Amino acid sequence: MINKPFVRRSIPWLYLAAWLLWMWWRWNTAPPVSVDIPETIHLGQWVLAHNRFPNHLHWVWGVPQGKWLAVGWEAGSAVVFAVAYQVGFWGLFVLWAASQLLAIKLTQLAIRWAGYAPSLGALVGMALLLSIFQPLVAAMWVIPGVAFLMYDAAIITTGHSRFKHHLAYGAVLGAWAWLSPSVIIAPILTVVLILFWPSKIQSRPWALLVLRAAIWPVAAVMTIPHPLSWMSAVLRYVSGGVTPKTPWPSVTTLLHPNLSWTALPNLIWFSLLVLALLQGARLRKPHLLWWAILIPLSLLNWKEAYYTPLSLWALTALIAFMGPIKFQSRALSLFLPLVPIVFLVLIAIKDINTPVRMTASRIFPRYTWYRQMSARFPSGRIWVPLTEGGIFTMATGRSTWLDNRMQIWDAYPTFYARSAALATGRAPLGPWLDQHHVVAVLWPERPLQARQLTLAGWIAVAHGPGSYQLWVPRTEHPHR
């Protein structure tokens, strides 16, 4: 005879096991690594080696000794490098999975503290969406951070806050200030709390809310070595000041490589929004406070693709607040618990034939090729696409034409626009290559580049992963 309570208690653990196995399989088949990670590792290595943040641009040779402007996740870069260096690329996988698991658990706790029963289905959907759309990146702590703020709001609005919880709030905000400028969400959420406080529960504890508003800037100033520079970084990112005037083709291609990163997330977002509205109209819950927190976060999806994971998390969190979705079909409700079991079996069978190669060359297919090609070049500069600069530098230790695009977008828009014009074929290339002593070009096949390089007297002599080509001057052949 089946023990039904035991089965019900086992279902969440089955889903967790299925999700972890899915994450492991996904990482080994198509590692969800942001294009920023090589640059992040390089920056983090420098920060730990010198025990300080940089003061000038060490890697952008087009603007030597240019002033460094804080980007807000220098310390997060150091964390990523430390994990990669001490544990290896397995460590990066654990970091990636742990950030998502933390966000899901904090969301579940927030819903429970707010007095609701979280929907398991919505939490499972949240886990699946984050695993698909949240890449490994130094600033990936925004979702766990916002989930913690929601958890904190649930505790203080129900009057269960304690002194140790206030200490935890300060510690989390201080750590978040190190890891990402997205900590600016904290004071914004405090304002939302004031405006939409659930008055039926208790009156607003003004002293507590003022403390919440004061902790985040104090924590930031105490933890960031250059607080004014860091605050400037926050304001630049919030205002959109780092958006390049001349779009970079390889960056936009990597952000939107196929249907799954353009139409599909928007379709998922729209479907979740409709479901949240329908469920909200039918159940008339949760409290307006949670709508006021989560709906604006979900609207960030329409600002840029970078916020897609946060937006999808916000909508699934809102749906999770509303409790289980009732299915009319008894057969369907009986079948759903079998889904994780079937999934576990199928993925386990697939994993038998899936080689585990969590290495730099596996995550970055051009890593080994860059190292092999670079060893044959004479002294001088190598020109690679903007998004590949960090990979090339990490693999070879050699400078590339550009290796910190955020700094260039932010501090040197003129240089950035001129370089982008060269890369997109809108400016003469030959004189620029001579002026900067470029000895090789490693670039994906692109007709405009091929024409310009041919006119400049260059020739393609090798091909690598991802349709990349190696171009060298006709008079300098690396294979002779």
Side-chain angles (χ1 to χ4, degrees):
M1 188 172 182
I2 298 176
N3 188 330
K4 291 184 178 179
F6 174 78
V7 171
R8 282 197 298 270
R9 289 195 301 270
S10 301
I11 289 173
W13 294 103
L14 284 172
Y15 274 106
L16 177 62
W19 179 73
L20 289 174
L21 188 56
W22 152 257
M23 295 281 278
W24 180 85
W25 179 81
R26 168 158 163 67
W27 182 278
N28 284 284
T29 51
V33 177
S34 166
V35 295
D36 294 331
I37 283 298
E39 176 187 319
T40 293
I41 292 176
H42 189 198
L43 172 59
Q45 182 181 26
W46 193 96
V47 170
L48 288 183
H50 295 81
N51 292 316
R52 65 179 177 86
F53 293 167
N55 295 318
H56 66 273
L57 303 180
H58 293 267
W59 307 289
V60 183
W61 54 264
V63 279
Q65 302 302 310
K67 180 182 177 183
W68 179 273
L69 295 178
V71 294
W73 50 70
E74 286 85 348
S77 300
V79 170
V80 172
F81 168 75
V83 169
Y85 181 75
Q86 296 293 336
V87 188
F89 284 87
W90 271 105
L92 294 183
F93 164 73
V94 172
L95 197 66
W96 173 67
S99 70
Q100 297 179 43
L101 188 57
L102 181 61
I104 296 162
K105 185 60 180 178
L106 285 171
T107 305
Q108 180 189 36
L109 290 174
I111 296 169
R112 284 180 175 172
W113 274 103
Y116 303 103
S119 166
L120 175 62
L123 292 176
V124 169
M126 177 189 296
L128 183 61
L129 290 172
L130 289 181
S131 70
I132 294 173
F133 292 106
Q134 177 61 67
L136 173 70
V137 64
M140 64 187 169
W141 302 101
V142 58
I143 299 179
V146 176
F148 175 82
L149 293 178
M150 196 168 68
Y151 163 69
D152 174 72
I155 288 180
I156 64 174
T157 54
T158 52
H160 291 92
S161 58
R162 298 289 183 269
F163 179 72
K164 63 181 181 180
H165 180 72
H166 303 322
L167 290 179
Y169 182 89
V172 169
L173 267 288
W176 191 357
W178 270 83
L179 296 171
S180 170
S182 57
V183 72
I184 194 71
I185 294 174
I188 295 173
L189 192 138
T190 302
V191 173
V192 173
L193 272 176
I194 294 172
L195 294 176
F196 297 93
W197 187 268
S199 55
K200 291 182 180 179
I201 299 174
Q202 63 175 17
S203 60
R204 292 176 179 83
W206 288 104
L208 184 60
L209 291 172
V210 169
L211 179 65
R212 285 288 180 271
I215 282 179
W216 79 272
V218 171
V221 169
M222 291 181 65
T223 55
I224 300 299
H226 305 292
L228 294 179
S229 177
W230 178 84
M231 291 300 295
S232 174
V234 170
L235 294 175
R236 291 197 308 275
Y237 278 85
V238 170
S239 66
V242 295
T243 303
K245 296 179 180 178
T246 307
W248 188 264
S250 56
V251 172
T252 54
T253 301
L254 283 165
L255 287 177
H256 303 281
N258 50 50
L259 179 67
S260 67
W261 281 96
T262 51
L264 184 57
N266 290 340
L267 179 61
I268 293 172
W269 181 92
F270 184 76
S271 301
L272 289 173
L273 179 63
V274 170
L275 180 59
L277 294 174
L278 290 176
Q279 284 286 92
R282 184 172 66 88
L283 301 176
R284 295 189 177 182
K285 67 177 188 179
H287 186 272
L288 183 60
L289 171 66
W290 308 110
W291 287 87
I293 291 174
L294 294 167
I295 286 294
L297 287 174
S298 75
L299 295 176
L300 289 174
N301 181 68
W302 298 101
K303 185 178 187 299
E304 56 181 279
Y306 178 85
Y307 293 107
T308 293
L310 178 62
S311 302
L312 297 178
W313 167 84
L315 285 174
T316 49
L318 186 60
I319 294 169
F321 262 102
M322 300 175 189
I325 299 173
K326 303 296 184 182
F327 292 99
Q328 299 300 320
S329 169
R330 181 172 175 80
L332 181 60
S333 63
L334 292 173
F335 171 75
L336 284 177
L338 297 176
V339 171
I341 298 176
V342 173
F343 185 80
L344 280 167
V345 172
L346 292 176
I347 294 294
I349 293 172
K350 177 66 176 177
D351 282 338
I352 295 174
N353 301 316
T354 301
V356 180
R357 297 193 300 271
M358 282 209 284
T359 62
S361 58
R362 170 65 176 161
I363 294 176
F364 311 111
R366 290 170 289 281
Y367 186 95
T368 303
W369 188 65
Y370 284 161
R371 188 165 51 191
Q372 293 170 346
M373 294 294 103
S374 176
R376 304 171 183 176
F377 298 151
S379 61
R381 307 295 183 179
I382 294 90
W383 187 27
V384 302
L386 188 67
T387 54
E388 299 287 321
I391 300 175
F392 183 88
T393 304
M394 189 172 72
T396 68
R398 299 184 60 154
S399 296
T400 59
W401 81 283
L402 186 63
D403 189 25
N404 199 305
R405 68 178 181 275
M406 287 299 179
Q407 290 292 300
I408 293 302
W409 289 0
D410 202 359
Y412 299 94
T414 302
F415 173 78
Y416 176 87
R418 186 168 65 249
S419 303
L422 288 164
T424 52
R426 292 196 293 269
L429 188 58
W432 186 87
L433 295 171
D434 294 336
Q435 176 189 352
H436 291 287
H437 309 291
V438 177
V439 296
V441 173
L442 294 159
W443 204 273
E445 294 179 9
R446 190 168 286 145
L448 285 171
Q449 259 78 55
R451 259 196 309 273
Q452 286 210 331
L453 287 166
T454 302
L455 290 173
W458 288 56
I459 182 173
V461 295
H463 297 267
S467 74
Y468 269 62
Q469 295 176 315
L470 165 62
W471 289 77
V472 298
R474 290 180 185 274
T475 55
E476 294 285 343
H477 199 293
H479 299 288
R480 63 183 184 181

